Amino acid sequence: MRSNKKNLVKKKQWLWAEDTHPDNINDSHVSKAFFLELRKCKPLSNHRACSSNPFCLSTLGEQHWLQNKYSLDEDPELKYRETKAFCGLKNLGATCYINSLLQLWFHNINIRNAILNWNPMEDETEILHNPTLFIENGYEPITCVGQLQLVFALMQFGKHKTINPEAFIKSLKIDTSIEQDAEEDMVQNNFRGEYQSVITCLTCKTKSKSCSTFRDLSLNIEGHQTLNDSLRDYLKEEVLAGDDQYYCNQCEGKQNAVRQMCLTVLPSVLNFQLMRFVYDRKSMQKTKLNTIIRFPQTLDMAQYLNLPKKLNATSRKNYKYNLYAVLIHKGSSANCGHYVAQIKDNTTQQWYQFNDDQVDKLTIKELLTKHRATN
């Protein structure tokens, strides 16, 4: 029965050829001959009675490619996010660290506003080297800060659930020796602090001071249990003796001395880098420390600054920092792993975890557990 029906279809397909001269063949005849007039099948329709239909996808493997990780309609870059929801960032293969940092910068209001207020018409590189700068509705930034502004604009005003930061990541190859004023000002105003290295000769008591700047404080965590323990270790006095003796100009020779780091100016955003990746001399390899470090929601840094003793209580409040973000490396090895960011929304005080294109709310219990165990 099926064979006869199939032959009947083919006969009808070419029935017009019996009384049509070759010079009179038109598009309608061609469409009938090759079934071009048939309707398209819907993917995954489970329809199996249209093997002669050139538009049929059945038995061509559509079950595999349409039901892979995402269906065509479920591409995260095409999905829209809910109102007031934050967007994720597409992982381009090994970009989880960059994605996490982008989320940290975006959720800092000062940094976000500084980037969004950047003007390409005031950037020498954009003016001299970007031919699209003066094309209406055709401008494409060529600088890192310009591409970063585009990413932030999409994160702030876009509607999609996931943003692709590929253009920004590619722009990082641009010559970094070219100074970007807006970018430099943003870094200085938000991240830069100052400290003094004070060396005291134990023979003549002469003090030698040198000033430097920092953008983060790298803290040793080995043997410590809290962030305050690591801070005190960072700022403790270090004895310079033996092979490490200090050359004192006053004594005109090497002497035992004491060196101490003294914080003098703190930035508005204070970054701590916990030194989990250390070099193991026994194995001759870099390893990761999985030490649990506890840190408070609010940190009073006045106790660690060289402040005048008579500084009033109001001024000391300016040195209290509230925890707003944690960058976490997941994995037991120093050579591989995955980065996620946990960030507190300044408006709602709600904590979120940003894992590339996945954005999830965190409960206080989840927050405390994850911070103690993995960061």
Side-chain angles (χ1 to χ4, degrees):
M1 292 290 292
R2 182 175 296 179
S3 177
N4 291 336
K5 184 177 180 181
K6 186 174 182 180
N7 291 333
L8 182 62
V9 170
K10 286 187 175 181
K11 183 177 180 180
K12 187 177 180 181
Q13 172 188 4
W14 291 96
L15 188 63
W16 56 268
E18 296 179 1
D19 53 7
T20 303
H21 190 275
D23 294 338
N24 297 327
I25 296 177
N26 55 37
D27 291 342
S28 176
H29 297 130
V30 175
S31 295
K32 288 180 180 179
F34 295 100
F35 299 109
L36 299 181
E37 295 176 340
L38 297 178
R39 291 187 302 174
K40 296 180 180 181
C41 293
K42 293 182 179 180
L44 305 182
S45 62
N46 293 322
H47 188 51
R48 293 292 182 271
C50 54
S51 59
S52 298
N53 188 343
F55 302 110
C56 179
L57 298 178
S58 298
T59 73
L60 296 180
E62 80 281 5
Q63 291 284 345
H64 174 73
W65 63 266
L66 282 179
Q67 290 185 338
N68 204 359
K69 186 175 183 181
Y70 301 107
S71 72
L72 294 180
D73 295 330
E74 292 180 344
D75 189 330
E77 289 188 62
L78 302 179
K79 278 189 172 183
Y80 290 102
R81 49 178 151 152
E82 298 177 1
T83 303
K84 295 184 179 180
F86 296 115
C87 71
L89 295 169
K90 183 178 180 180
N91 191 317
L92 303 176
T95 59
C96 58
Y97 183 72
I98 296 177
N99 287 348
S100 298
L101 286 177
L102 285 174
Q103 293 286 6
L104 292 180
W105 297 340
F106 176 79
H107 284 83
N108 182 291
I109 302 301
N110 293 336
I111 298 174
R112 185 195 310 177
N113 290 339
I115 295 300
L116 292 178
N117 289 331
W118 172 80
N119 186 354
M121 299 299 294
E122 299 175 354
D123 189 289
E124 183 177 350
T125 302
E126 293 284 348
I127 294 173
L128 296 178
H129 304 288
N130 193 344
T132 69
L133 183 60
F134 300 100
I135 300 178
E136 186 176 358
N137 299 325
Y139 167 67
E140 289 287 341
I142 63 172
T143 55
C144 297
V145 65
Q147 288 293 344
L148 180 59
Q149 183 187 67
L150 180 57
V151 172
F152 276 13
L154 292 173
M155 294 174 71
Q156 174 82 354
F157 305 108
K159 297 181 180 180
H160 288 100
K161 189 174 181 180
T162 301
I163 302 299
N164 188 339
E166 183 175 6
F168 166 69
I169 293 174
K170 287 184 177 179
S171 75
L172 297 177
K173 296 181 180 179
I174 292 178
D175 187 0
T176 56
S177 63
I178 300 176
E179 183 177 350
Q180 304 291 338
D181 292 336
E183 192 175 12
E184 184 64 22
D185 288 342
M186 181 270 289
V187 171
Q188 291 185 12
N189 294 337
N190 290 279
F191 296 109
R192 192 181 72 172
E194 298 178 8
Y195 67 88
Q196 283 185 345
S197 176
V198 182
I199 300 179
T200 304
C201 175
L202 295 181
T203 301
C204 66
K205 308 302 180 184
T206 300
K207 294 181 182 292
S208 174
K209 299 180 181 179
S210 60
C211 299
S212 299
T213 61
F214 68 88
R215 294 180 183 177
D216 61 66
L217 298 177
S218 299
L219 304 182
N220 174 37
I221 63 172
E222 192 168 12
H224 303 306
Q225 295 183 342
T226 68
L227 182 67
N228 284 300
D229 291 340
S230 293
L231 265 170
R232 284 189 285 267
D233 179 67
Y234 180 81
L235 298 171
K236 72 180 181 181
E237 291 185 344
E238 177 187 5
V239 177
L240 303 178
D243 294 337
D244 296 325
Q245 273 190 324
Y246 165 70
Y247 183 90
C248 177
N249 290 326
Q250 186 69 26
C251 299
E252 297 184 344
K254 288 189 174 183
Q255 303 291 340
N256 289 344
V258 172
R259 178 170 57 194
Q260 186 172 20
M261 304 289 291
C262 299
L263 300 176
T264 54
V265 177
L266 293 180
S268 59
V269 180
L270 184 57
N271 287 319
F272 294 112
Q273 180 178 344
L274 304 185
M275 298 171 63
R276 290 199 174 276
F277 301 138
V278 297
Y279 184 76
D280 187 347
R281 293 183 178 181
K282 292 183 178 179
S283 63
M284 304 291 286
Q285 293 181 343
K286 186 170 66 172
T287 62
K288 178 183 178 181
L289 298 176
N290 291 305
T291 306
I292 293 177
I293 294 293
R294 299 178 178 85
F295 44 89
Q297 296 288 317
T298 300
L299 179 64
D300 185 2
M301 287 296 295
Q303 58 185 310
Y304 300 112
L305 279 171
N306 278 0
L307 298 174
K309 295 182 179 179
K310 295 182 180 180
L311 192 66
N312 59 47
T314 303
S315 298
R316 287 183 175 272
K317 288 183 180 180
N318 295 333
Y319 296 103
K320 288 187 177 180
Y321 289 82
N322 295 316
L323 180 68
Y324 100 93
V326 182
L327 182 62
I328 298 174
H329 174 267
K330 293 188 173 183
S332 59
S333 172
N335 300 314
C336 62
H338 182 65
Y339 285 93
V340 301
Q342 295 179 351
I343 305 171
K344 182 172 67 174
D345 177 31
N346 189 55
T347 303
T348 63
Q349 303 298 301
Q350 169 68 50
W351 280 87
Y352 293 84
Q353 177 162 286
F354 295 87
N355 184 0
D356 290 328
D357 60 347
Q358 187 70 31
V359 180
D360 298 304
K361 287 185 178 180
L362 290 176
T363 65
I364 295 297
K365 183 178 180 180
E366 289 175 326
L367 178 71
L368 294 176
T369 301
K370 291 176 183 293
H371 283 181
R372 288 183 56 205
T374 61
N375 107 78

